[in-house]
């Protein structure tokens, strides 16, 4: 699962629209849209704000590295 997919999943699980999430984080709705479509990534500061908003940790938002076997 990509970072954008994780952001969208957590946002929807918390019952937030893109607009409301953007307002609470302090960014534009378009920024949230770009994050969710993996067209851009949130800054480190905004990652921490997202984690706080969703009641999770930054490492839970970030995609897990696949290990080669």
């Amino acid at each position: 699962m990509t970072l954008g997919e994780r952001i969208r999943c957590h946002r929807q699980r918390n019952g937030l629209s893109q607009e409301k999430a953007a307002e609470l984080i302090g960014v534009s709705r378009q920024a949230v849209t770009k994050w969710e479509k993996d067209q851009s990534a949130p800054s480190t500061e905004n990652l921490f704000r997202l984690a706080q908003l969703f009641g999770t940790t930054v490492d839970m938002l970030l995609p897990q590295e696949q290990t080669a076997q």
Side-chain angles (χ1 to χ4, degrees):
M1 187 179 281
T2 68
L3 173 59
E5 290 169 335
R6 289 172 187 263
I7 291 171
R8 183 179 64 245
C9 181
H10 280 282
R11 178 182 58 76
Q12 291 174 338
R13 192 177 297 150
N14 283 276
L16 298 171
S17 66
Q18 286 183 340
E19 189 169 348
K20 186 63 176 175
E23 178 185 324
L24 293 170
I25 297 165
V27 298
S28 68
R29 182 197 52 78
Q30 291 85 350
V32 175
T33 299
K34 286 182 178 182
W35 297 342
E36 290 185 1
K37 291 183 176 183
D38 291 309
Q39 293 175 344
S40 68
S43 67
T44 303
E45 183 177 334
N46 285 333
L47 273 174
F48 279 99
R49 289 179 180 165
L50 284 166
Q52 183 177 19
L53 177 63
F54 300 148
T56 190
T57 59
V58 171
D59 60 324
M60 293 301 292
L61 289 176
L62 297 175
Q64 302 300 314
E65 293 294 323
Q66 297 289 329
T67 56
Q69 294 183 358

